[in-house]
Amino acid sequence: MAEPTPPIHITTHARGGRVTVVVAGEIDLDTAPQLQHAITNALRRSPSGVDVDLDRVPFCDCTGLNALLDGRRCALGQGKTLVVRNAGAAVTRLLALTRTLGPLTSPADASSAVVRQRTLAAAISSP
């Protein structure tokens, strides 16, 4: 019998125009939906974007990565950013291997993506 996933603990706090989502615990198939929900709620509360602090995350699988990427996509769609902060070695390795380290951890990449998204939206809506 498989061992149950340890619980994940997620807190949020607003500062300036951003909301920080602080995650503690493993992010996997069982816990990724909680992360996705927290990111979605944080985006609703934030005028400019979300920072996801993964300092206390020892493990993240592809479902956790998908939650982060989906959160980034939603943020960009709203003209906001999502930036991963304080990723540990295991999470950094996952992001590097999947070539998502830059897009998820660089505020400059995130800001550039917002500009590209707005430019694309304007081009699509122009006659």
Side-chain angles (χ1 to χ4, degrees):
M1 180 181 263
E3 291 187 32
T5 300
I8 190 171
H9 183 69
I10 300 174
T11 58
T12 62
H13 60 274
R15 186 175 200 183
R18 299 187 67 78
V19 173
T20 299
V21 176
V22 181
V23 185
E26 295 182 0
I27 306 171
D28 61 14
L29 183 63
D30 294 329
T31 60
Q34 295 171 56
L35 174 60
Q36 184 63 51
H37 182 73
I39 290 171
T40 300
N41 286 339
L43 283 168
R44 284 191 197 118
R45 294 176 38 212
S46 170
S48 63
V50 173
D51 296 315
V52 182
D53 185 331
L54 300 180
D55 183 48
R56 295 174 47 203
V57 175
F59 174 80
C60 180
D61 71 4
C62 62
T63 56
L65 175 60
N66 283 332
L68 293 169
L69 291 171
D70 188 53
R72 180 178 186 268
R73 182 188 53 78
C74 290
L76 293 174
Q78 298 173 30
K80 302 175 184 180
T81 60
L82 181 142
V83 178
V84 171
R85 308 272 185 194
N86 305 316
V91 175
T92 299
R93 179 167 160 65
L94 172 67
L95 299 180
L97 288 171
T98 58
R99 298 184 179 175
T100 57
L101 185 63
L104 285 173
T105 62
S106 171
D109 280 355
S111 296
S112 295
V114 169
V115 171
R116 286 191 304 274
Q117 185 74 17
R118 287 180 181 160
T119 302
L120 178 62
I124 291 171
S125 65
S126 295

